[in-house]
Amino acid sequence: MKTYKVAIIGNGMICNAAHIPAYKAMGDRVELAAVADIREQAARETAQRHGIPKYYTDPQKMLEEVKPDIISVCTPNAYHKKYTLMGFKAGCHVICEKPVAMSRADEREMFEAAEAAGRQLFVIQSLRFTGNFSAAAEFAKDGCLGDIYYADLNLVRRRGVPRWGMFHMASENVGGSFCDLGVHMCDYLMYISGNPKMTAVSGSAVTRIVNKEENVTFSNAESGAPTGLFTFYPPPGTCPRRIWGTT
């Protein structure tokens, strides 16, 4: 059985809490060869924490030297396209965090690049694989729900307001809570209903509770880091930071 060499770009919480444990659970089928993050502290501590032999602050250099078979793109949303395309140019299969891109045109370019390179692009829409969602999808597939002509999904996950990392900064996340949570609902709605052709989209947003800062929880666990923070970064504005797109 072939052992696939794996590297990860972006070494924040989702890398440490989800991708690395998943790769480790695959045993000898994968080799975690290197990690890269523009924040040297994050890359170094991630490598040391998980016994990964190499870490980089330059993802391109990592791809050139390590030559992985697979990369995980765990950067903030704004840079998914950049590093996914970089992976295909290096001959890698790419596992990309959701949302795959910030526009339909970018998403199409990414999948076309995968096809041209003869590689796979897998987007982490993880709710498809949870028990209740998977069961509902099977009911729909078996015809138990008949012809689906209307669906209404909702998700309430947390009261907390993130005050850590770069993921929730507007310039990095781009789409706010929609990119964090809403994409799961949209993906699942399309998945369970058989991917019908979309003819119209509408949306609305409101910010009322957070602005008041009354009875709002700011704990890490309730703001999206239930497993804790692996490398702590102060809130935005308290220290200088580098931006992924400038490296």
Side-chain angles (χ1 to χ4, degrees):
M1 182 181 295
K2 178 179 178 178
T3 297
Y4 292 90
K5 187 182 295 186
V6 174
I8 303 176
I9 301 175
N11 304 151
M13 189 195 71
I14 201 67
C15 161
N16 281 271
H19 286 249
I20 290 178
Y23 283 128
K24 286 187 171 182
M26 297 177 71
D28 293 339
R29 295 179 64 185
V30 300
E31 171 196 352
L32 279 167
V35 294
D37 196 296
I38 61 167
R39 305 160 299 177
E40 184 175 1
Q41 180 186 6
R44 181 180 65 252
E45 291 184 2
T46 297
Q48 292 173 347
R49 184 180 299 115
H50 298 286
I52 298 171
K54 295 182 179 181
Y55 70 88
Y56 294 79
T57 57
D58 182 346
Q60 181 65 60
K61 183 178 180 181
M62 178 183 71
L63 295 179
E64 292 172 356
E65 294 185 358
V66 176
K67 295 180 173 55
D69 300 301
I70 302 169
I71 62 169
S72 277
V73 175
C74 300
T75 65
N77 301 336
Y79 315 114
H80 287 177
K81 175 185 173 183
K82 173 181 178 179
Y83 291 107
T84 293
L85 296 181
M86 185 182 292
F88 291 141
K89 288 181 179 179
C92 307
H93 299 288
V94 178
I95 296 173
C96 182
E97 268 297 329
K98 56 79 185 172
V100 62
M102 296 298 100
S103 72
R104 169 66 173 135
D106 285 350
E107 175 267 338
R108 178 173 292 179
E109 182 180 350
M110 293 162 71
F111 276 98
E112 288 177 349
E115 185 174 0
R119 295 294 181 265
Q120 296 293 323
L121 171 55
F122 181 82
V123 183
I124 304 296
Q125 294 290 170
S126 54
L127 285 191
R128 287 192 184 192
F129 306 104
T130 58
N132 55 344
F133 279 35
S134 179
E138 285 299 316
F139 288 145
K141 182 179 179 181
D142 292 342
C144 295
L145 304 181
D147 294 328
I148 299 175
Y149 60 89
Y150 176 83
D152 187 0
L153 298 178
N154 64 80
L155 175 65
V156 178
R157 192 176 88 176
R158 61 190 183 226
R159 296 174 59 228
V161 178
R163 286 189 169 181
W164 45 268
M166 295 196 302
F167 182 82
H168 296 282
M169 296 177 183
S171 61
E172 319 295 307
N173 175 284
V174 182
S177 58
F178 174 78
C179 282
D180 186 16
L181 304 175
V183 291
H184 280 305
M185 296 294 95
C186 291
D187 173 75
Y188 191 65
L189 179 60
M190 298 299 291
Y191 174 54
I192 196 174
S193 58
N195 290 305
K197 183 178 179 180
M198 191 175 300
T199 59
V201 177
S202 63
S204 61
V206 62
T207 303
R208 299 180 64 180
I209 298 174
V210 173
N211 290 347
K212 297 178 181 179
E213 294 196 358
E214 297 174 0
N215 301 317
V216 176
T217 302
F218 292 102
S219 74
N220 289 333
E222 291 183 276
S223 66
T227 56
L229 300 180
F230 297 90
T231 302
F232 178 76
Y233 300 101
T238 62
C239 67
R241 67 186 182 90
R242 295 169 62 196
I243 303 299
W244 275 97
T246 61
T247 59

